[in-house]
Amino acid sequence: MLLLGIDVGTSSIKVSVVDAQSQRVLQSVQYPDNETEISSPQPGWAEQSPEMWWEHVGIAIQKINASGLFNPADISAIGIAYQMHGLVVVDKKQQALRDSIIWCDSRAVKIGDDAFNAIGEDKSLSRLLNSPGNFTASKLAWVKQNEPDLYSRIDKVMLPGDFIAMKLTGEITSSPSSLSEGIFWDFEHEELSEDIINYFGFDKGLFPEVKPVFATHGCLKADVAERLSLRTGIPVSYKSGDQPNNALSLNVLEPGEVAATAGTSGVIYGISDQLFSDPKSRVNTFAHVNHSVNDRRLGVLLCINGTGILNRWAKNTFGNNLSYQEINQQAASVSVGANGVRILPFGNGAERMLGNKLIGAQFHRIDFNLHHSAHLFRAVQEGIAFAFRYGLDIMRENGMNPTVIRAGKANLFQSELFAEAFVNSTNVPVELYHNDGSVGAALGSGIGAKVFSSEKEAFLNVKSIKLITPTMTEQYEPVYDDWKRILEEQLTIK
């Protein structure tokens, strides 16, 4: 029996086919080869076309089926992972009414702040576990305020993965995990938040049927199945935001376990069985994939918008057609601290861990006679690692103290220099795994379709490939302290 996983990322679509019995990946493909652009009609805005996602999903599935490494007729379940917090709205004909306002869009910050004050700090943090902030509910309110004609034509509101599932099956569903990441979920009553619905004046009919993450969210339509060379009726049996899914793919399911990723954005994601909220909403809490009323599992998420996107920008701007491997080699030729260059990686929208401030990426202390591209490449990776440390300290303030962090050997964690900077800045060992969001989604579909008897069974073959331990903290700590002073100076500027 084969399982198909789809990962709807910001930069590309990735799909994988996994053999359920062995949990072996038979093939993975990505489309497009070049990273998908983000549309920014105004400063601080970020949008992508849902129909583009769907087109790319279809191409990726056709590409993987054409590999000849498996029989597409043996695929028995589909799972979907997706970029979190995006707003997708469709009409009664299931047509997208506008481009998706995606996760790093900053236009709704004030709307969310006003909602937080009106609903009240205590109620927001105790029931929503977050400020409405710059999340999906606030983005929907922005559409309601600024595009009233379009808003009046909305039939259903959804997250990006819900849209892809709809295109596959014709059915629209959601889950407590998805709704919580949009700040639509009341954890006290385990239902749609009346506080959010009433404050923003949303109609409850806009929201899809709520099902568990591991459930049948529709079955593959005949016309879609024919186009994609798949069997009609295959269930979409799992949908999850990319960070809960990344944690699932690393077998991070129980309280105290922690995952990290460093792709376009950077995330540390820890599991708790307690209703958790940061008083300043700098880190956020959502329902994890295995959360239930009787067995609480919450994901505490630190997000840094500007991580891999900064590394890519530096490569494209200063790399002179160098590969990432060549850039990493240049960066490693420079000593810790990049000879004084400091970079703040906050150039991809308002940062929640900075109180939703938008300070932009910043380069400090560049000397034209002293520094060259290698110093910049090193300072970029150190600056990203320092942002992780800054955020992890916020999590520590709130009682989350990981003794080890699990991460996939992907994106920035493929750089030995970045991994070194990360573990020595945070002083936490990192276990690296061969993992992938689309593989996690495939295994998730097996859990939802009851191919596996439990989450544990789905990950029996997940083994660490490398443990990286801190060995140079005394070299990194003063550099981090200097970086932090620069950041805090910028945060005081109004």
Side-chain angles (χ1 to χ4, degrees):
M1 179 179 292
L2 305 184
L3 308 171
L4 173 65
I6 303 168
D7 185 6
V8 184
T10 309
S11 59
S12 67
I13 304 296
K14 192 165 185 181
V15 297
S16 292
V17 172
V18 175
D19 176 75
Q21 184 173 4
S22 66
Q23 295 147 39
R24 183 170 65 90
V25 180
L26 301 183
Q27 178 68 315
S28 295
V29 304
Q30 176 179 305
Y31 185 84
D33 295 329
N34 297 321
E35 296 179 16
T36 303
E37 294 296 323
I38 296 173
S39 172
S40 185
Q42 295 189 34
W45 291 21
E47 300 182 357
Q48 287 184 328
S49 165
E51 293 294 346
M52 176 196 67
W53 298 333
W54 172 235
E55 178 187 356
H56 290 180
V57 165
I59 294 171
I61 291 174
Q62 290 169 332
K63 184 178 177 182
I64 200 169
N65 285 346
S67 68
L69 297 175
F70 59 90
N71 183 354
D74 293 336
I75 293 173
S76 299
I78 299 172
I80 302 171
Y82 58 88
Q83 50 173 290
M84 297 173 71
H85 314 306
L87 171 69
V88 181
V89 291
V90 299
D91 62 17
K92 292 183 182 297
K93 295 181 179 180
Q94 298 190 345
Q95 298 299 308
L97 290 169
R98 68 175 332 279
D99 283 352
S100 173
I101 303 175
I102 66 171
W103 57 277
C104 54
D105 186 287
S106 302
R107 75 186 72 181
V109 170
K110 185 178 186 307
I111 291 172
D113 289 345
D114 290 345
F116 183 65
N117 293 329
I119 294 170
E121 178 179 339
D122 290 343
K123 187 179 286 189
S124 292
L125 296 182
S126 64
R127 294 188 180 183
L128 306 174
L129 307 185
N130 304 282
S131 164
N134 193 38
F135 293 105
T136 317
S138 301
K139 293 168 182 172
L140 179 60
W142 183 93
V143 172
K144 185 171 185 280
Q145 290 179 17
N146 293 276
E147 300 174 347
D149 291 342
L150 185 149
Y151 180 86
S152 70
R153 292 186 283 132
I154 296 174
D155 179 59
K156 286 292 181 284
V157 172
M158 61 188 82
L159 280 295
D162 303 327
F163 178 81
I164 298 302
M166 178 200 77
K167 298 294 281 189
L168 289 166
T169 70
E171 297 187 34
I172 305 176
T173 67
S174 192
S175 70
S177 184
S178 291
L179 290 167
S180 73
E181 73 176 73
I183 318 300
F184 292 114
W185 195 250
D186 183 329
F187 282 92
E188 183 175 307
H189 299 104
E190 293 289 348
E191 63 184 14
L192 272 171
S193 169
E194 295 286 347
D195 295 311
I196 289 291
I197 299 293
N198 293 335
Y199 174 77
F200 286 128
F202 297 149
D203 184 336
K204 275 191 176 180
L206 295 177
F207 298 93
E209 178 186 2
V210 180
K211 292 187 172 186
V213 170
F214 301 111
T216 297
H217 294 273
C219 295
L220 194 63
K221 295 189 298 181
D223 61 328
V224 176
E226 182 178 4
R227 181 165 65 85
L228 299 180
S229 301
L230 298 172
R231 287 190 296 107
T232 300
I234 299 171
V236 173
S237 49
Y238 170 82
K239 289 189 301 182
S240 170
D242 52 9
Q243 298 310 322
N245 178 73
N246 180 65
L248 172 75
S249 70
L250 292 164
N251 199 20
V252 170
L253 294 164
E254 298 303 322
E257 296 176 339
V258 179
T261 184
T264 302
S265 62
V267 166
I268 297 178
Y269 185 94
I271 309 304
S272 174
D273 58 2
Q274 304 297 313
L275 293 180
F276 173 100
S277 59
D278 173 50
K280 299 179 182 178
S281 204
R282 297 165 297 176
V283 296
N284 302 105
T285 304
F286 310 115
H288 194 32
V289 294
N290 57 339
H291 174 76
S292 68
V293 175
N294 298 321
D295 198 11
R296 186 181 290 151
R297 292 293 182 269
L298 302 172
V300 182
L301 183 149
L302 159 77
C303 181
I304 308 160
N305 292 352
T307 55
I309 192 171
L310 168 61
N311 199 46
R312 181 188 73 183
W313 180 87
K315 174 183 178 293
N316 292 343
T317 305
F318 307 114
N320 293 321
N321 298 316
L322 295 175
S323 67
Y324 281 113
Q325 183 178 4
E326 290 168 328
I327 282 173
N328 293 340
Q329 289 171 350
Q330 280 200 22
S333 71
V334 176
S335 61
V336 175
N339 208 349
V341 179
R342 304 286 180 262
I343 295 179
L344 305 181
F346 305 117
N348 191 31
E351 295 282 357
R352 291 195 292 280
M353 75 171 187
L354 304 182
N356 276 326
K357 289 191 175 182
L358 184 61
I359 67 171
Q362 299 181 21
F363 288 47
H364 290 261
R365 302 197 192 124
I366 294 175
D367 184 324
F368 299 139
N369 299 308
L370 182 62
H371 299 124
H372 49 80
S373 59
H375 295 95
L376 298 180
F377 295 145
R378 176 155 200 134
V380 161
Q381 296 195 29
E382 288 184 348
I384 294 167
F386 295 155
F388 273 103
R389 160 66 186 279
Y390 188 85
L392 182 58
D393 283 350
I394 294 172
M395 300 179 83
R396 287 166 169 152
E397 287 175 24
N398 287 279
M400 184 162 285
N401 294 284
T403 57
V404 66
I405 293 173
R406 299 178 193 169
K409 190 176 181 182
N411 301 312
L412 277 167
F413 278 107
Q414 294 181 89
S415 165
E416 291 184 6
L417 185 149
F418 173 78
E420 170 198 289
F422 183 97
V423 299
N424 285 288
S425 300
T426 61
N427 199 25
V428 180
V430 167
E431 288 180 346
L432 290 180
Y433 293 78
H434 285 311
N435 91 309
D436 175 87
S438 59
V439 175
L443 293 171
S445 77
I447 298 168
K450 295 183 169 49
V451 174
F452 304 115
S453 62
S454 66
E455 292 95 340
K456 184 176 180 180
E457 183 184 349
F459 295 94
L460 288 175
N461 294 327
V462 173
K463 307 294 182 186
S464 171
I465 58 173
K466 187 176 184 179
L467 175 67
I468 306 171
T469 57
T471 58
M472 303 167 61
T473 55
E474 72 285 349
Q475 294 184 47
Y476 277 91
E477 191 66 18
V479 181
Y480 170 72
D481 288 341
D482 182 50
W483 179 94
K484 181 180 176 183
R485 279 193 296 272
I486 293 171
L487 171 61
E488 292 182 340
E489 287 172 2
Q490 296 304 309
L491 293 176
T492 63
I493 298 172
K494 295 185 179 179

